[in-house]
Amino acid sequence: MERHRCSVILEVEAKNKQMELMSSMCRLMFATAIILAAHQFSIYSSHPIGVCYGLNGDNLPPPSEVVGLYKSSGIEFLRLYEPRSDVLEALRGSGIAVALCPKNEDLAHIAQRPGAADAWVNTNIAPYMNDVLFRWIILGNEVIPGSLANYVPAAMANTRHSLAAIGLANVTITTVIPGNALESSFPPSAGAFSSDITDVMVSVAGILATSDAPLMINVYPYFAYASNPSQVPANYALFTATDPVVTDGSFLYFNLFDAMVDAFHAALEKIGYPDLKVGIAESGWPSAGNDPYTSIGNAMTYNRNLMNHVLQNGTPRRPGKLMETFLFAMFNENLKRGAVEQNFGFFYPNKDPVYPFW
């Protein structure tokens, strides 16, 4: 009888322990599910949109306030055109993904001497790498075509090696090229690189392809429209056309942005890289400086439609391929040349919005 009672007690204790274990496992599974859900939310709620932070102004707010404005506006990417220690200090702990460019005048040194690439990385990246989210390093801002073009492939290769040496092998290495890198661009399927830069572009594309990195391009429908309004309809430039404006074989173009991007896609196809990704390093519309083509209404319409477009659509040649995109620019910059160039900003230097957007 005593043995039976002990047996019952042991059985009850065993069941209690089993229930406690099951309860612990359920709590663990529940917590894990929450963590996974939060992780998935963080992935799918992020947007491949950034804003270029130009500093060509003598009345701009301090970098700490600018970083705060990026965060309060929900802007997740920031492009910086040269290493600025005050900006990099302000970016510590911000969580903003940063695209950083060496100065173009440093490109030859970085290309010709691996030690120069090491020095640049150790000066401008390594001191901040634990607190600043470096996502892109851009070697050459619109230097192809030009006298510095031939330095770009070696500068990219040397900088990649230098980043790997400090544990940042996953940072994207790329370059930015302008529209005049194309010898022809209309219709989009005729897109081709200028003959004098074809060899450089083959080398650049080969480097990008090895790490699945995008070629970054600057795309400005505004300039095409403002320079030739009789041939470029406003609705085609502003994403507001409801019918196709250009037909290129089986591809229908409702907006000039897609046509300009697809000209680059066609050019990459012609040099043997049909699958290379393209990203947008700059695109925007000025709010003043060249009436009637510049206006707050046009700037707001273009930038809003551009952002919605790149978040949801690819281009006719690359349907479904979303592009990492930087809008230009954060502020109106009073030291830039000409009234148009001074009025691309989303914000005035006092941080008031030029128009409601963010």
Side-chain angles (χ1 to χ4, degrees), residues 276-290:
L276 193 71
K277 293 188 296 188
V278 165
I280 309 303
E282 290 181 14
S283 191
W285 197 286
S287 60
N290 186 23

Side-chain angles (χ1 to χ4, degrees), residues 88-135:
L88 294 172
E89 287 291 342
L91 283 164
R92 288 188 188 272
S94 67
I96 296 171
V98 176
L100 181 63
C101 318
K103 294 179 180 179
N104 283 343
E105 52 262 39
D106 294 334
L107 202 63
H109 299 295
I110 293 172
Q112 292 172 323
R113 295 188 297 112
D118 291 340
W120 188 87
V121 167
N122 289 332
T123 299
N124 300 296
I125 304 295
Y128 309 97
M129 59 182 284
N130 293 327
D131 305 302
V132 177
L133 179 57
F134 293 105
R135 184 162 171 181

Side-chain angles (χ1 to χ4, degrees), residues 21-40:
L21 180 61
M22 291 178 64
S23 178
S24 297
M25 290 177 65
C26 287
R27 286 196 298 270
L28 178 61
M29 291 172 65
F30 181 70
T32 301
I34 291 176
I35 292 170
L36 288 173
H39 177 63
Q40 291 297 323

Side-chain angles (χ1 to χ4, degrees), residues 144-167:
I144 303 173
S147 60
L148 296 175
N150 289 329
Y151 293 116
V152 172
M156 293 172 66
N158 287 346
T159 304
R160 177 186 287 179
H161 184 271
S162 299
L163 288 169
I166 64 168

